[in-house]
Amino acid sequence: MADAPGFTLPLLLFAGFRTLIDDLHAELARQGYPDVRPAYGFAMQAIGRRGVSASELGKRLGVSKQAAGKTVDRLESLGYAERADDPEDARRKLVRLTPRGVDALARSAAIFDDLRTRWVRELGAGRVRALEADLRAVVGETGFGLDVAGWFAG
């Protein structure tokens, strides 16, 4: 088989990513989380279990503090996050995940495990492990950031 044009590699990688994300969100909707969007998942990951300030969230997502604030507003209105006083700095607010937000992330992790298992059934365990190892070799030790939304917009 002849080598494909170079532009097909990023398109195939993105299509694989998109397939996984679309399948994740379809299953999340079936499990009672129909309002979670990919950008919210990245934001909830960036918030993490300890919480962050809005400006730190913006840095992690690669967006402005204002854009991060809008995302937090939406996550708050959906019940996934809340703003709370920072116990270490009374002048600052922290963004924290609510129990619903933590549950959405836990379900996402379990669904991703199921999706990986589906790929293993389709491609074989050795090929999936080799694909993961090859991608790790290409992207390096830092892996990936959560700044996808900011990266695409920037």
Side-chain angles (χ1 to χ4, degrees):
M1 181 172 147
D3 284 344
F7 68 84
T8 61
L9 178 60
L11 294 176
L12 286 168
L13 289 169
F14 182 73
F17 171 79
R18 176 77 191 262
T19 298
L20 288 168
I21 297 300
D22 287 348
D23 290 350
L24 165 75
H25 287 278
E27 183 57 30
L28 278 173
R30 280 191 283 281
Q31 293 186 22
Y33 293 86
D35 47 11
V36 175
R37 301 288 174 261
Y40 303 161
F42 285 105
M44 288 191 287
Q45 286 287 337
I47 292 166
R49 293 196 180 262
R50 299 182 67 209
V52 294
S53 67
S55 60
E56 177 61 25
L57 179 61
K59 287 178 193 169
R60 290 181 183 185
L61 295 176
V63 299
S64 69
K65 182 179 175 182
Q66 293 77 13
K70 286 182 181 181
T71 300
V72 172
D73 290 343
R74 186 67 179 138
L75 290 173
E76 260 189 318
S77 73
L78 295 170
Y80 295 110
E82 63 187 2
R83 289 179 171 96
D85 292 331
D86 184 339
E88 296 176 14
D89 185 348
R91 300 167 295 167
R92 196 168 80 152
K93 291 281 190 188
L94 282 181
V95 179
R96 297 187 309 206
L97 296 177
T98 63
R100 181 169 172 77
V102 171
D103 188 57
L105 284 182
R107 287 173 186 264
S108 295
I111 294 166
F112 276 131
D113 287 343
D114 292 343
L115 292 171
R116 185 185 184 281
T117 298
R118 191 182 315 164
W119 280 40
V120 166
R121 277 195 308 268
E122 180 126 354
L123 302 173
R127 289 185 68 194
V128 171
R129 280 194 295 272
L131 174 62
E132 291 168 336
D134 290 344
L135 290 171
R136 279 188 196 96
V138 172
V139 300
E141 293 298 317
T142 59
F144 62 91
L146 297 171
D147 62 347
V148 173
W151 183 81
F152 270 120

